[in-house]
Amino acid sequence: MTKKPLYKRVLLKVSGEALMGDQQYGINVETVDRIAREIKQATDIGVEVCLVIGGGNIFRGLSGAAKGMERASADYMGMLATVMNALAMQNALERFGVPTRVLSAIPMMTVCEPYVRRRAVRHMEKGRVVIFAAGTGNPFFTTDTAAALRATEMGCDALLKGTQVDGVYSADPHKVKDAERYDHLTYMDVLAKDLQVMDTSAIALARENGIPIIVFSIHNDGGFVNVLTGDGRCTIISDAA
């Protein structure tokens, strides 16, 4: 019997790279399906879920800017990549019977709805999974900041960041064998230690609005629901460590 979830409404932030699976680029359909099944498990136990997905598997604005592209244009290209990922996730979720809406910060009415906060809240109240695409709609802001912003606007109880590892470490555990893993951190710990879990704007926004950030591995089967019920391996970032 599944335990009762600790949160009623959450935002799940997934990097674009997480959708690549074992590919070097693009969208791995099997990986998207697996993440969609995780989300369905969460909705099945009564959790309202919304998502922000990055675009790094297709195009990353900072990388384009580093190669000489004008930064704002590169960032807009990155936002379009997040729309592609959002549509892929919507397709997977709906194949599993999960009602879903994609809301884009950049209006593109032929493929998805424009982002309107009240409309997004209403979708969630009706039990739909809402996928927020195109970041904040502004260049120079990451999808991490978009996740913190949308979590605040939706009145989420927590922001869950699905990563490549099972929490926050003092260094990349794939490169540093004795990297320290943290169970709990304060927002200020993250900033002071420069842990780069999320960018500083996202951390500050979550801190100002009292939204805990929970970092866990998106690659562990059942990991999302386990974290929601308090059983999963994760790092919790909040005011009290």
Side-chain angles (χ1 to χ4, degrees):
M1 181 177 174
T2 305
K3 290 173 62 177
K4 185 177 179 181
L6 303 177
Y7 311 100
K8 184 180 188 302
R9 178 179 293 177
V10 300
L11 185 141
L12 173 62
K13 167 62 167 63
V14 180
S15 70
E17 288 85 350
L19 305 189
M20 291 193 300
D22 56 4
Q23 299 174 178
Q24 296 300 309
Y25 175 84
I27 298 169
N28 182 293
V29 175
E30 291 78 14
T31 301
V32 174
D33 283 352
R34 184 183 57 74
I35 296 172
R37 280 193 294 269
E38 299 267 326
I39 295 166
K40 183 181 188 306
Q41 290 171 11
T43 60
D44 285 346
I45 63 171
V47 180
E48 296 176 3
V49 181
C50 52
L51 281 91
V52 168
I53 307 175
N57 57 320
I58 299 171
F59 188 87
R60 184 181 292 279
L62 274 175
S63 299
K67 294 175 183 176
M69 292 187 70
E70 194 266 323
R71 173 67 190 273
S73 295
D75 279 353
Y76 281 123
M77 291 172 67
M79 290 179 218
L80 295 178
T82 72
V83 178
M84 295 171 69
N85 286 338
L87 293 174
M89 184 60 70
Q90 179 183 41
N91 184 270
L93 284 165
E94 292 189 340
R95 279 190 284 109
F96 292 128
V98 180
T100 311
R101 294 291 187 275
V102 174
L103 274 64
S104 171
I106 299 175
M108 43 187 81
M109 295 291 287
T110 55
V111 295
C112 56
E113 298 179 25
Y115 172 72
V116 177
R117 187 186 68 83
R118 285 179 177 270
R119 180 182 292 174
V121 170
R122 186 64 178 144
H123 284 321
M124 295 199 71
E125 289 172 347
K126 289 184 174 181
R128 297 165 182 154
V129 170
V130 176
I131 307 173
F132 299 111
T136 65
N138 302 289
F140 305 101
F141 290 93
T142 68
T143 50
D144 279 348
T145 299
L149 176 63
R150 298 296 184 237
T152 302
E153 290 180 303
M154 294 300 104
C156 291
D157 302 315
L159 192 171
L160 283 81
K161 181 165 184 179
T163 66
Q164 311 300 316
V165 292
D166 59 356
V168 180
Y169 287 77
S170 58
D172 186 342
H174 296 305
K175 299 177 181 177
V176 181
K177 286 186 177 181
D178 58 350
E180 180 185 358
R181 183 184 174 281
Y182 305 102
D183 286 325
H184 293 86
L185 290 164
T186 66
Y187 303 109
M188 291 307 297
D189 286 337
V190 174
L191 298 174
K193 297 176 188 290
D194 193 26
L195 294 174
Q196 299 182 359
V197 181
M198 303 180 88
D199 64 60
T200 54
S201 297
I203 297 292
L205 195 55
R207 181 189 177 208
E208 287 169 10
N209 293 280
I211 299 174
I213 300 170
I214 301 169
V215 183
F216 71 105
S217 173
I218 196 66
H219 299 297
N220 293 337
D221 287 340
F224 186 37
V225 166
N226 287 340
V227 170
L228 292 174
T229 56
D231 294 329
R233 186 171 167 85
C234 63
T235 297
I236 298 174
I237 302 168
S238 62
D239 268 330

